[in-house]
Protein backbone atom coordinates (compact mmCIF):
# COMPACT_ATOMS: atom_id res chain seq x y z
CA UNK A 1 0.00 0.00 0.00
CA UNK A 2 2.78 2.41 0.93
CA UNK A 3 4.44 1.27 -2.22
CA UNK A 4 1.38 2.40 -4.19
CA UNK A 5 0.93 5.66 -2.29
CA UNK A 6 4.50 6.69 -3.05
CA UNK A 7 3.29 7.02 -6.65
CA UNK A 8 1.51 10.23 -5.71
CA UNK A 9 4.65 11.78 -4.20
CA UNK A 10 6.88 10.68 -7.07
CA UNK A 11 4.59 11.94 -9.83
CA UNK A 12 2.40 15.01 -9.78
CA UNK A 13 -0.71 13.32 -11.14
CA UNK A 14 -3.04 16.22 -10.36
CA UNK A 15 -0.81 18.59 -12.33
CA UNK A 16 -0.84 16.16 -15.28
CA UNK A 17 -4.64 16.12 -15.35
CA UNK A 18 -4.68 19.90 -15.00
CA UNK A 19 -2.77 20.13 -18.30
CA UNK A 20 -5.44 17.96 -19.98
CA UNK A 21 -8.19 20.16 -18.54
CA UNK A 22 -6.46 23.31 -19.83
CA UNK A 23 -6.04 21.73 -23.28
CA UNK A 24 -9.74 20.81 -23.22
CA UNK A 25 -10.82 24.30 -22.19
CA UNK A 26 -8.97 26.22 -24.92
CA UNK A 27 -9.61 23.65 -27.64
CA UNK A 28 -13.32 23.56 -26.75
CA UNK A 29 -13.63 27.35 -27.00
CA UNK A 30 -11.80 27.61 -30.32
CA UNK A 31 -13.49 24.58 -31.88
CA UNK A 32 -16.90 25.92 -30.84
CA UNK A 33 -16.12 29.18 -32.63
CA UNK A 34 -14.79 27.50 -35.79
CA UNK A 35 -17.57 24.89 -35.72
CA UNK A 36 -20.33 27.50 -35.47
CA UNK A 37 -18.94 29.45 -38.43
CA UNK A 38 -18.67 26.19 -40.41
CA UNK A 39 -22.24 25.23 -39.53
CA UNK A 40 -23.43 28.67 -40.67
CA UNK A 41 -21.54 28.21 -43.93
CA UNK A 42 -23.04 24.77 -44.43
CA UNK A 43 -26.62 26.00 -44.00
CA UNK A 44 -26.08 29.20 -45.99
CA UNK A 45 -27.69 29.59 -49.44
CA UNK A 46 -24.30 30.36 -51.05
CA UNK A 47 -22.91 27.29 -52.86
CA UNK A 48 -19.22 28.20 -52.49
CA UNK A 49 -19.56 28.72 -48.71
CA UNK A 50 -21.43 25.45 -48.45
CA UNK A 51 -18.62 23.74 -50.37
CA UNK A 52 -15.93 25.18 -48.07
CA UNK A 53 -17.81 23.94 -45.00
CA UNK A 54 -18.42 20.50 -46.48
CA UNK A 55 -14.80 20.14 -47.62
CA UNK A 56 -13.49 21.14 -44.19
CA UNK A 57 -15.70 18.59 -42.45
CA UNK A 58 -14.83 15.80 -44.90
CA UNK A 59 -11.11 16.46 -44.65
CA UNK A 60 -10.72 16.85 -40.91
CA UNK A 61 -13.31 14.33 -39.81
CA UNK A 62 -11.56 11.60 -41.80
CA UNK A 63 -7.98 12.40 -40.80
CA UNK A 64 -6.58 10.71 -37.70
CA UNK A 65 -6.00 13.24 -34.91
CA UNK A 66 -2.50 11.77 -34.48
CA UNK A 67 -1.56 12.99 -37.98
CA UNK A 68 -2.94 16.48 -37.35
CA UNK A 69 -1.02 16.94 -34.08
CA UNK A 70 2.11 15.36 -35.54
CA UNK A 71 1.83 17.66 -38.57
CA UNK A 72 1.96 20.69 -36.27
CA UNK A 73 5.19 19.59 -34.61
CA UNK A 74 7.06 17.85 -37.44
CA UNK A 75 5.91 19.73 -40.53
CA UNK A 76 4.94 23.21 -39.34
CA UNK A 77 7.50 23.57 -36.53
CA UNK A 78 10.47 21.39 -37.53
CA UNK A 79 10.32 21.69 -41.29
CA UNK A 80 8.87 25.18 -41.79
CA UNK A 81 9.96 26.85 -38.56
CA UNK A 82 6.43 28.05 -37.80
CA UNK A 83 5.78 28.98 -34.15
CA UNK A 84 2.85 30.20 -32.06
CA UNK A 85 4.92 31.41 -29.12
CA UNK A 86 8.60 32.24 -28.51
CA UNK A 87 8.46 30.04 -25.39
CA UNK A 88 9.34 26.45 -26.32
CA UNK A 89 6.80 24.61 -24.13
CA UNK A 90 4.12 27.24 -24.59
CA UNK A 91 4.52 26.85 -28.36
CA UNK A 92 3.86 23.11 -28.25
CA UNK A 93 0.91 23.62 -25.92
CA UNK A 94 -0.66 26.14 -28.31
CA UNK A 95 0.02 23.94 -31.32
CA UNK A 96 -1.67 21.01 -29.58
CA UNK A 97 -4.64 23.25 -28.75
CA UNK A 98 -4.90 24.35 -32.39
CA UNK A 99 -4.64 20.75 -33.62
CA UNK A 100 -7.34 19.60 -31.23
CA UNK A 101 -9.54 22.61 -32.10
CA UNK A 102 -9.21 22.16 -35.87
CA UNK A 103 -10.03 18.46 -35.61
CA UNK A 104 -13.01 18.79 -33.25
CA UNK A 105 -14.45 21.81 -35.08
CA UNK A 106 -15.59 19.39 -37.81
CA UNK A 107 -17.57 17.44 -35.22
CA UNK A 108 -18.93 20.60 -33.59
CA UNK A 109 -20.16 21.69 -37.02
CA UNK A 110 -22.00 18.40 -37.52
CA UNK A 111 -23.43 18.56 -33.99
CA UNK A 112 -24.83 22.06 -34.59
CA UNK A 113 -26.17 21.01 -37.97
CA UNK A 114 -28.01 18.14 -36.33
CA UNK A 115 -29.36 20.76 -33.90
CA UNK A 116 -30.52 22.88 -36.83
CA UNK A 117 -32.43 19.87 -38.10
CA UNK A 118 -34.44 19.82 -34.87
CA UNK A 119 -35.74 23.36 -35.56
CA UNK A 120 -39.18 23.13 -37.19
CA UNK A 121 -39.65 24.60 -40.67
CA UNK A 122 -42.28 26.95 -39.27
CA UNK A 123 -39.61 28.81 -37.30
CA UNK A 124 -37.62 29.62 -40.44
CA UNK A 125 -40.79 30.52 -42.27
CA UNK A 126 -41.91 32.81 -39.44
CA UNK A 127 -38.48 34.47 -39.44
CA UNK A 128 -38.79 35.11 -43.18
CA UNK A 129 -42.35 36.33 -42.78
CA UNK A 130 -41.32 39.09 -40.37
CA UNK A 131 -38.65 40.16 -42.86
CA UNK A 132 -35.44 38.73 -41.38
CA UNK A 133 -32.61 37.96 -43.76
CA UNK A 134 -30.22 35.00 -43.48
CA UNK A 135 -27.86 36.29 -40.78
CA UNK A 136 -30.49 37.92 -38.53
CA UNK A 137 -32.70 34.84 -38.83
CA UNK A 138 -29.79 32.55 -38.02
CA UNK A 139 -28.67 34.66 -35.08
CA UNK A 140 -32.08 35.36 -33.54
CA UNK A 141 -34.23 32.36 -34.46
CA UNK A 142 -32.37 29.33 -35.80
CA UNK A 143 -29.10 29.12 -33.86
CA UNK A 144 -30.49 29.70 -30.35
CA UNK A 145 -32.90 26.82 -30.84
CA UNK A 146 -30.30 24.73 -32.69
CA UNK A 147 -27.84 25.02 -29.79
CA UNK A 148 -30.52 23.90 -27.36
CA UNK A 149 -31.28 20.92 -29.58
CA UNK A 150 -27.58 20.15 -30.00
CA UNK A 151 -26.67 19.89 -26.31
CA UNK A 152 -26.29 16.10 -26.33
CA UNK A 153 -24.16 15.83 -29.50
CA UNK A 154 -22.08 18.83 -28.39
CA UNK A 155 -21.59 17.15 -25.01
CA UNK A 156 -20.46 14.01 -26.81
CA UNK A 157 -17.91 16.05 -28.75
CA UNK A 158 -16.70 17.61 -25.49
CA UNK A 159 -16.26 14.14 -23.93
CA UNK A 160 -14.37 12.97 -27.02
CA UNK A 161 -12.21 16.10 -26.78
CA UNK A 162 -11.38 15.49 -23.10
CA UNK A 163 -10.18 11.99 -23.91
CA UNK A 164 -8.38 13.08 -27.07
CA UNK A 165 -6.25 15.63 -25.19
CA UNK A 166 -4.03 12.62 -24.35
CA UNK A 167 -2.96 12.63 -28.01
CA UNK A 168 -1.20 15.93 -27.27
CA UNK A 169 1.63 13.72 -25.98
CA UNK A 170 2.66 13.16 -29.60
CA UNK A 171 2.77 16.96 -29.98
CA UNK A 172 5.52 17.19 -27.35
CA UNK A 173 3.19 18.29 -24.56
CA UNK A 174 5.11 16.02 -22.22
CA UNK A 175 3.42 16.78 -18.92
CA UNK A 176 -0.12 15.61 -19.73
CA UNK A 177 -1.70 12.51 -18.18
CA UNK A 178 -0.84 9.80 -20.72
CA UNK A 179 2.84 10.81 -20.87
CA UNK A 180 3.12 10.94 -17.09
CA UNK A 181 1.43 7.53 -16.92
CA UNK A 182 3.91 6.15 -19.45
CA UNK A 183 6.87 7.37 -17.39
CA UNK A 184 5.33 5.98 -14.20
CA UNK A 185 4.71 2.60 -15.87
CA UNK A 186 8.30 2.44 -17.07
CA UNK A 187 9.86 3.24 -13.71
CA UNK A 188 7.45 1.44 -11.42
CA UNK A 189 7.20 -1.99 -13.00
CA UNK A 190 5.98 -3.45 -9.69
CA UNK A 191 2.59 -1.71 -9.77
CA UNK A 192 1.65 -1.22 -13.43
CA UNK A 193 -1.98 -2.30 -13.04
CA UNK A 194 -2.70 0.06 -10.09
CA UNK A 195 -1.00 2.88 -12.04
CA UNK A 196 -3.23 2.31 -15.08
CA UNK A 197 -6.35 2.08 -12.93
CA UNK A 198 -5.45 5.32 -11.16
CA UNK A 199 -5.14 7.28 -14.40
CA UNK A 200 -8.15 5.56 -15.96
CA UNK A 201 -10.22 6.43 -12.90
CA UNK A 202 -9.08 10.04 -13.24
CA UNK A 203 -10.65 10.18 -16.71
CA UNK A 204 -13.78 8.34 -15.55
CA UNK A 205 -14.20 10.93 -12.80
CA UNK A 206 -13.94 13.78 -15.33
CA UNK A 207 -15.96 12.24 -18.17
CA UNK A 208 -18.94 10.78 -16.29
CA UNK A 209 -19.97 14.05 -14.60
CA UNK A 210 -19.73 15.82 -17.98
CA UNK A 211 -22.01 13.13 -19.43
CA UNK A 212 -24.51 13.50 -16.58
CA UNK A 213 -24.36 17.28 -16.91
CA UNK A 214 -25.14 17.21 -20.65
CA UNK A 215 -28.06 14.84 -20.13
CA UNK A 216 -29.46 17.09 -17.40
CA UNK A 217 -28.81 20.20 -19.49
CA UNK A 218 -30.44 18.72 -22.60
CA UNK A 219 -33.63 18.04 -20.60
CA UNK A 220 -33.58 21.50 -19.08
CA UNK A 221 -32.86 23.26 -22.37
CA UNK A 222 -35.17 21.18 -24.56
CA UNK A 223 -37.51 23.45 -26.51
CA UNK A 224 -41.08 22.46 -25.65
CA UNK A 225 -42.94 21.70 -28.89
CA UNK B 1 -30.96 20.01 -47.62
CA UNK B 2 -31.42 22.57 -44.88
CA UNK B 3 -31.25 25.23 -47.56
CA UNK B 4 -34.64 24.33 -48.97
CA UNK B 5 -36.08 24.50 -45.46
CA UNK B 6 -34.45 27.69 -44.30
CA UNK B 7 -34.87 29.75 -47.43
CA UNK B 8 -37.59 30.73 -49.78
CA UNK B 9 -36.82 30.65 -53.47
CA UNK B 10 -34.84 33.92 -53.75
CA UNK B 11 -36.11 36.77 -55.90
CA UNK B 12 -34.00 38.68 -58.46
CA UNK B 13 -32.32 40.80 -55.76
CA UNK B 14 -31.63 37.77 -53.55
CA UNK B 15 -30.26 35.82 -56.50
CA UNK B 16 -27.86 38.64 -57.32
CA UNK B 17 -26.68 38.82 -53.69
CA UNK B 18 -26.16 35.06 -53.56
CA UNK B 19 -24.20 35.23 -56.82
CA UNK B 20 -21.94 37.97 -55.45
CA UNK B 21 -21.38 36.07 -52.19
CA UNK B 22 -20.68 32.94 -54.19
CA UNK B 23 -17.98 34.66 -56.24
CA UNK B 24 -16.49 36.23 -53.11
CA UNK B 25 -16.41 32.79 -51.45
CA UNK B 26 -14.71 31.23 -54.47
CA UNK B 27 -12.15 34.05 -54.52
CA UNK B 28 -11.44 33.51 -50.82
CA UNK B 29 -10.79 29.80 -51.43
CA UNK B 30 -8.52 30.58 -54.37
CA UNK B 31 -6.67 33.18 -52.31
CA UNK B 32 -6.18 30.76 -49.40
CA UNK B 33 -4.90 28.01 -51.69
CA UNK B 34 -2.57 30.52 -53.32
CA UNK B 35 -1.27 31.67 -49.91
CA UNK B 36 -0.54 28.10 -48.80
CA UNK B 37 1.10 27.05 -52.05
CA UNK B 38 3.19 30.21 -52.42
CA UNK B 39 4.11 30.03 -48.73
CA UNK B 40 5.30 26.46 -49.19
CA UNK B 41 7.10 27.36 -52.40
CA UNK B 42 8.82 30.22 -50.59
CA UNK B 43 10.23 27.66 -48.16
CA UNK B 44 11.29 25.40 -51.02
CA UNK B 45 8.62 22.83 -50.22
CA UNK B 46 7.07 22.70 -53.68
CA UNK B 47 10.25 21.56 -55.44
CA UNK B 48 9.97 18.21 -57.23
CA UNK B 49 12.66 16.55 -55.10
CA UNK B 50 10.31 16.88 -52.11
CA UNK B 51 7.31 15.33 -53.85
CA UNK B 52 8.73 12.95 -56.45
CA UNK B 53 10.11 10.40 -53.95
CA UNK B 54 6.55 9.81 -52.71
CA UNK B 55 5.57 8.32 -56.04
CA UNK B 56 8.44 5.93 -56.63
CA UNK B 57 8.05 2.17 -56.42
CA UNK B 58 10.62 2.09 -53.60
CA UNK B 59 8.40 4.33 -51.47
CA UNK B 60 5.36 2.14 -51.95
CA UNK B 61 6.81 -1.37 -51.82
CA UNK B 62 9.15 -0.70 -48.89
CA UNK B 63 7.26 1.88 -46.87
CA UNK B 64 3.66 2.76 -47.65
CA UNK B 65 2.26 -0.66 -48.57
CA UNK B 66 3.80 -2.55 -45.61
CA UNK B 67 2.56 0.24 -43.33
CA UNK B 68 -0.91 0.21 -44.85
CA UNK B 69 -1.02 -3.58 -44.50
CA UNK B 70 -0.24 -3.33 -40.80
CA UNK B 71 -2.84 -0.60 -40.30
CA UNK B 72 -5.51 -2.60 -42.10
CA UNK B 73 -4.52 -5.78 -40.23
CA UNK B 74 -4.88 -4.12 -36.83
CA UNK B 75 -8.12 -2.45 -37.89
CA UNK B 76 -9.64 -5.66 -39.30
CA UNK B 77 -8.84 -7.74 -36.20
CA UNK B 78 -10.16 -4.93 -33.98
CA UNK B 79 -13.39 -4.63 -35.96
CA UNK B 80 -14.14 -8.35 -35.69
CA UNK B 81 -13.30 -8.47 -31.98
CA UNK B 82 -15.26 -5.25 -31.31
CA UNK B 83 -18.41 -6.70 -32.83
CA UNK B 84 -18.01 -9.87 -30.74
CA UNK B 85 -17.33 -7.81 -27.59
CA UNK B 86 -20.25 -5.53 -28.40
CA UNK B 87 -22.66 -8.42 -28.89
CA UNK B 88 -21.66 -10.08 -25.61
CA UNK B 89 -21.92 -6.94 -23.50
CA UNK B 90 -24.83 -5.46 -25.47
CA UNK B 91 -26.81 -8.62 -24.73
CA UNK B 92 -25.52 -8.34 -21.16
CA UNK B 93 -27.00 -4.87 -20.81
CA UNK B 94 -30.33 -6.15 -22.10
CA UNK B 95 -30.24 -9.22 -19.87
CA UNK B 96 -32.69 -9.70 -17.02
CA UNK B 97 -29.93 -11.12 -14.81
CA UNK B 98 -29.19 -8.33 -12.35
CA UNK B 99 -25.55 -9.27 -11.76
CA UNK B 100 -24.75 -9.79 -15.44
CA UNK B 101 -26.60 -6.61 -16.38
CA UNK B 102 -24.64 -4.56 -13.85
CA UNK B 103 -21.29 -6.06 -14.79
CA UNK B 104 -21.93 -5.24 -18.44
CA UNK B 105 -23.00 -1.70 -17.56
CA UNK B 106 -19.84 -1.07 -15.53
CA UNK B 107 -17.57 -2.59 -18.19
CA UNK B 108 -19.18 -0.60 -21.01
CA UNK B 109 -19.25 2.71 -19.13
CA UNK B 110 -15.67 2.29 -17.92
CA UNK B 111 -14.14 1.54 -21.30
CA UNK B 112 -16.09 4.32 -22.99
CA UNK B 113 -14.72 6.85 -20.52
CA UNK B 114 -11.03 5.88 -20.68
CA UNK B 115 -8.96 7.37 -23.53
CA UNK B 116 -7.90 4.76 -26.10
CA UNK B 117 -4.33 6.04 -25.99
CA UNK B 118 -4.15 5.48 -22.23
CA UNK B 119 -5.19 1.84 -22.74
CA UNK B 120 -2.72 1.38 -25.59
CA UNK B 121 0.20 2.71 -23.56
CA UNK B 122 -0.75 0.49 -20.64
CA UNK B 123 -1.30 -2.71 -22.64
CA UNK B 124 1.91 -2.19 -24.58
CA UNK B 125 3.95 -2.18 -21.39
CA UNK B 126 1.76 -4.83 -19.75
CA UNK B 127 2.16 -7.29 -22.65
CA UNK B 128 5.88 -6.64 -22.94
CA UNK B 129 6.44 -7.28 -19.22
CA UNK B 130 4.02 -10.13 -18.63
CA UNK B 131 5.19 -12.09 -21.66
CA UNK B 132 1.59 -12.91 -22.60
CA UNK B 133 2.47 -12.33 -26.25
CA UNK B 134 5.90 -12.44 -27.96
CA UNK B 135 7.74 -9.19 -27.26
CA UNK B 136 7.78 -8.07 -30.89
CA UNK B 137 4.01 -8.44 -31.13
CA UNK B 138 3.26 -6.45 -27.96
CA UNK B 139 2.47 -3.17 -29.81
CA UNK B 140 0.14 -4.96 -32.27
CA UNK B 141 -1.87 -6.60 -29.51
CA UNK B 142 -1.87 -3.42 -27.44
CA UNK B 143 -3.45 -1.58 -30.40
CA UNK B 144 -5.98 -4.36 -31.00
CA UNK B 145 -6.98 -4.80 -27.35
CA UNK B 146 -7.31 -1.06 -26.71
CA UNK B 147 -9.38 -0.52 -29.87
CA UNK B 148 -11.53 -3.54 -29.08
CA UNK B 149 -12.30 -2.51 -25.51
CA UNK B 150 -13.33 1.01 -26.50
CA UNK B 151 -15.12 0.32 -29.78
CA UNK B 152 -16.63 -2.89 -28.46
CA UNK B 153 -18.25 -0.82 -25.72
CA UNK B 154 -19.61 1.60 -28.30
CA UNK B 155 -20.96 -1.34 -30.33
CA UNK B 156 -22.58 -2.71 -27.16
CA UNK B 157 -24.45 0.60 -26.84
CA UNK B 158 -25.40 0.41 -30.53
CA UNK B 159 -26.85 -3.07 -29.97
CA UNK B 160 -28.76 -1.81 -26.98
CA UNK B 161 -30.20 1.25 -28.71
CA UNK B 162 -30.90 -0.82 -31.83
CA UNK B 163 -33.02 -3.24 -29.80
CA UNK B 164 -34.75 -0.37 -28.00
CA UNK B 165 -35.63 1.22 -31.33
CA UNK B 166 -37.46 -1.88 -32.58
CA UNK B 167 -41.26 -1.77 -32.53
CA UNK B 168 -42.61 -3.20 -29.29
CA UNK B 169 -44.65 -5.73 -31.26
CA UNK B 170 -41.51 -7.69 -32.14
CA UNK B 171 -40.84 -8.63 -28.54
CA UNK B 172 -44.52 -9.17 -27.80
CA UNK B 173 -44.79 -11.52 -30.76
CA UNK B 174 -41.73 -13.39 -29.54
CA UNK B 175 -43.21 -13.81 -26.07
CA UNK B 176 -46.59 -14.75 -27.55
CA UNK B 177 -45.17 -17.71 -29.43
CA UNK B 178 -43.61 -18.94 -26.19
CA UNK B 179 -40.01 -17.72 -26.46
CA UNK B 180 -38.22 -16.77 -23.26
CA UNK B 181 -36.78 -13.27 -22.83
CA UNK B 182 -33.30 -14.28 -23.94
CA UNK B 183 -34.58 -16.43 -26.83
CA UNK B 184 -36.68 -13.52 -28.10
CA UNK B 185 -33.61 -11.27 -27.87
CA UNK B 186 -31.35 -13.73 -29.62
CA UNK B 187 -33.73 -14.96 -32.33
CA UNK B 188 -36.02 -12.00 -33.01
CA UNK B 189 -34.71 -8.66 -31.75
CA UNK B 190 -30.91 -8.66 -32.06
CA UNK B 191 -30.85 -9.90 -35.69
CA UNK B 192 -33.10 -7.00 -36.69
CA UNK B 193 -31.15 -4.56 -34.54
CA UNK B 194 -27.93 -5.66 -36.26
CA UNK B 195 -29.35 -4.82 -39.67
CA UNK B 196 -30.64 -1.43 -38.57
CA UNK B 197 -27.36 -0.52 -36.89
CA UNK B 198 -25.27 -1.45 -39.93
CA UNK B 199 -24.67 2.17 -41.04
CA UNK B 200 -23.57 3.16 -37.54
CA UNK B 201 -21.37 0.06 -37.43
CA UNK B 202 -19.63 1.05 -40.66
CA UNK B 203 -19.19 4.53 -39.15
CA UNK B 204 -17.49 2.86 -36.22
CA UNK B 205 -15.05 1.21 -38.65
CA UNK B 206 -13.96 4.74 -39.63
CA UNK B 207 -13.30 5.46 -35.96
CA UNK B 208 -11.29 2.23 -35.59
CA UNK B 209 -9.25 2.96 -38.69
CA UNK B 210 -8.48 6.49 -37.52
CA UNK B 211 -7.64 5.42 -33.99
CA UNK B 212 -5.31 2.70 -35.24
CA UNK B 213 -2.97 5.59 -36.09
CA UNK B 214 -2.53 6.05 -32.32
CA UNK B 215 -0.42 2.88 -32.59
CA UNK B 216 2.30 5.17 -33.96
CA UNK B 217 2.74 6.58 -30.46
CA UNK B 218 3.48 3.17 -28.91
CA UNK B 219 5.75 2.11 -31.77
CA UNK B 220 3.43 -0.10 -33.79
CA UNK B 221 4.79 -0.08 -37.34
CA UNK B 222 1.61 1.09 -39.04
CA UNK B 223 1.00 3.44 -41.96
CA UNK B 224 1.80 6.68 -40.14
CA UNK B 225 4.98 5.15 -38.70
CA UNK B 226 6.26 4.23 -42.16
CA UNK B 227 5.22 7.58 -43.67
CA UNK B 228 7.16 9.31 -40.94
CA UNK B 229 10.21 7.06 -41.41
CA UNK B 230 10.08 7.67 -45.13
CA UNK B 231 9.73 11.42 -44.59
CA UNK B 232 12.67 11.49 -42.20
CA UNK B 233 14.85 9.63 -44.69
CA UNK B 234 14.00 11.96 -47.58
CA UNK B 235 13.71 15.25 -45.67
CA UNK B 236 10.07 15.53 -46.73
CA UNK B 237 8.12 14.81 -43.52
CA UNK B 238 5.52 17.43 -44.45
CA UNK B 239 4.82 15.79 -47.79
CA UNK B 240 4.87 12.29 -46.27
CA UNK B 241 2.35 13.27 -43.61
CA UNK B 242 0.10 14.91 -46.21
CA UNK B 243 0.17 11.69 -48.24
CA UNK B 244 -0.68 9.65 -45.12
CA UNK B 245 -3.58 11.99 -44.37
CA UNK B 246 -4.80 11.78 -47.98
CA UNK B 247 -4.84 7.97 -47.88
CA UNK B 248 -6.74 7.94 -44.59
CA UNK B 249 -9.24 10.49 -45.92
CA UNK B 250 -9.76 8.45 -49.08
CA UNK B 251 -10.43 5.19 -47.21
CA UNK B 252 -12.62 6.80 -44.56
CA UNK B 253 -14.57 8.86 -47.08
CA UNK B 254 -15.31 5.69 -49.05
CA UNK B 255 -16.48 3.96 -45.86
CA UNK B 256 -18.70 6.93 -44.96
CA UNK B 257 -20.27 6.91 -48.43
CA UNK B 258 -20.80 3.16 -48.08
CA UNK B 259 -22.54 3.74 -44.75
CA UNK B 260 -24.80 6.36 -46.34
CA UNK B 261 -25.61 4.00 -49.20
CA UNK B 262 -26.44 1.16 -46.81
CA UNK B 263 -28.52 3.58 -44.78
CA UNK B 264 -30.50 4.59 -47.88
CA UNK B 265 -30.91 0.96 -48.92
CA UNK B 266 -32.27 0.12 -45.50
CA UNK B 267 -34.58 3.12 -45.73
CA UNK B 268 -36.83 1.23 -48.12
CA UNK B 269 -37.11 -1.65 -45.67
CA UNK B 270 -39.08 -1.83 -42.41
CA UNK B 271 -40.64 1.13 -40.66
CA UNK B 272 -37.92 2.05 -38.16
CA UNK B 273 -34.20 2.31 -38.36
CA UNK B 274 -31.47 3.74 -36.23
CA UNK B 275 -31.02 7.29 -37.57
CA UNK B 276 -31.99 7.61 -41.25
CA UNK B 277 -29.34 9.43 -43.28
CA UNK B 278 -28.46 11.67 -40.37
CA UNK B 279 -24.95 13.04 -40.92
CA UNK B 280 -24.11 12.61 -37.26
CA UNK B 281 -25.07 8.94 -37.36
CA UNK B 282 -22.23 8.02 -39.63
CA UNK B 283 -18.67 8.80 -38.73
CA UNK B 284 -19.01 9.28 -35.01
CA UNK B 285 -16.03 11.27 -33.84
CA UNK B 286 -13.09 9.50 -32.39
CA UNK B 287 -13.90 8.52 -28.85
CA UNK B 288 -17.47 9.66 -29.06
CA UNK B 289 -19.39 7.71 -26.48
CA UNK B 290 -22.81 6.58 -27.52
CA UNK B 291 -24.92 7.71 -30.37
CA UNK B 292 -25.81 11.31 -31.09
CA UNK B 293 -29.09 12.95 -30.27
CA UNK B 294 -31.07 11.19 -32.94
CA UNK B 295 -31.82 8.18 -30.79
CA UNK B 296 -32.13 10.04 -27.55
CA UNK B 297 -35.47 8.27 -27.11
CA UNK B 298 -33.61 5.00 -26.69
CA UNK B 299 -31.57 6.54 -23.90
CA UNK B 300 -28.17 5.26 -24.99
CA UNK B 301 -26.46 7.74 -22.72
CA UNK B 302 -26.23 7.72 -18.98
Amino acid sequence: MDNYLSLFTEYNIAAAFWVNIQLTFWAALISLAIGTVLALMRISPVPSFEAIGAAYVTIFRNTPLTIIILFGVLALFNQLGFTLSPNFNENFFRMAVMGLAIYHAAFVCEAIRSGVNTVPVGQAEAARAIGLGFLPAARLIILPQAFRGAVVPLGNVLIALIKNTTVASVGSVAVEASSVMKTALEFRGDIIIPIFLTFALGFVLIVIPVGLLTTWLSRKMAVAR
Amino acid sequence: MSASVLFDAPGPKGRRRILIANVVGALIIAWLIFLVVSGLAGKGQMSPDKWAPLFTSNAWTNFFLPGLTNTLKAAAVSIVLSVAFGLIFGLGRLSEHKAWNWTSAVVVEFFRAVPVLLMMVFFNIFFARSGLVPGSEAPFWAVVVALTLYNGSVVAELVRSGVHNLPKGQREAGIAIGLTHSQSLRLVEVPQALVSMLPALIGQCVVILKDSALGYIIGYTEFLFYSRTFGAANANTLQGLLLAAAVFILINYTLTKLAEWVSRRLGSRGPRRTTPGEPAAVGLPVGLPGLPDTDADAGPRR
Side-chain angles (χ1 to χ4, degrees), chain A residues 77-78 83 85-95 171-172:
Chain A
F77 179 72
N78 279 358
T83 54
S85 164
N87 180 322
F88 201 63
N89 287 329
E90 186 65 25
N91 175 48
F92 286 135
F93 180 85
R94 288 187 188 173
M95 283 200 158
S172 302

Side-chain angles (χ1 to χ4, degrees), chain A residues 3 31 43 45 48 64 79 84 97 112 116 131 134 165 169 179 185 187 206 216 218:
Chain A
N3 203 3
S31 64
I43 59 172
S48 64
Q79 200 167 336
L84 285 174
V97 166
I112 294 174
V116 169
F134 172 69
T165 53
S169 63
S179 330
L185 287 173
F187 285 94
I206 299 174
W216 175 77
S218 73

Side-chain angles (χ1 to χ4, degrees), chain A residues 61-62 79 103 163-164, chain B residues 45 112 210 238 252 286:
Chain A
R61 198 171 62 169
N62 290 323
Q79 200 167 336
Y103 176 75
K163 301 193 313 176
N164 281 336
Chain B
Q45 299 296 333
R112 284 201 313 162
K210 280 197 306 183
L238 184 144
N252 289 333
V286 95

Side-chain angles (χ1 to χ4, degrees), chain A residues 59-204:
Chain A
I59 289 173
F60 289 104
R61 198 171 62 169
N62 290 323
T63 312
L65 178 60
T66 322
I67 294 188
I68 296 176
I69 305 264
L70 210 57
F71 190 85
V73 174
L74 295 178
L76 295 184
F77 179 72
N78 279 358
Q79 200 167 336
L80 301 180
F82 177 81
T83 54
L84 285 174
S85 164
N87 180 322
F88 201 63
N89 287 329
E90 186 65 25
N91 175 48
F92 286 135
F93 180 85
R94 288 187 188 173
M95 283 200 158
V97 166
M98 282 319 292
L100 287 165
I102 286 171
Y103 176 75
H104 288 90
F107 297 100
V108 169
C109 167
E110 292 306 273
I112 294 174
R113 229 157 59 95
S114 81
V116 169
N117 285 340
T118 67
V119 180
V121 189
Q123 296 289 326
E125 288 171 346
R128 278 204 307 271
I130 58 170
L132 296 177
F134 172 69
L135 280 177
R139 189 168 57 86
L140 298 168
I141 312 289
I142 310 292
L143 280 186
Q145 296 184 65
F147 272 111
R148 291 169 69 158
V151 170
V152 169
L154 281 176
N156 284 341
V157 177
L158 179 63
I159 289 174
L161 170 62
I162 294 172
K163 301 193 313 176
N164 281 336
T165 53
T166 51
V167 184
S169 63
V170 79
S172 302
V173 179
V175 283
E176 58 76 50
S178 82
S179 330
V180 173
M181 186 186 84
K182 183 162 183 279
T183 322
L185 287 173
E186 277 162 358
F187 285 94
R188 296 297 304 272
D190 50 330
I191 48 167
I192 59 172
I193 294 176
I195 291 175
F196 168 67
L197 289 179
T198 306
F199 280 89
L201 199 68
F203 276 99
V204 171

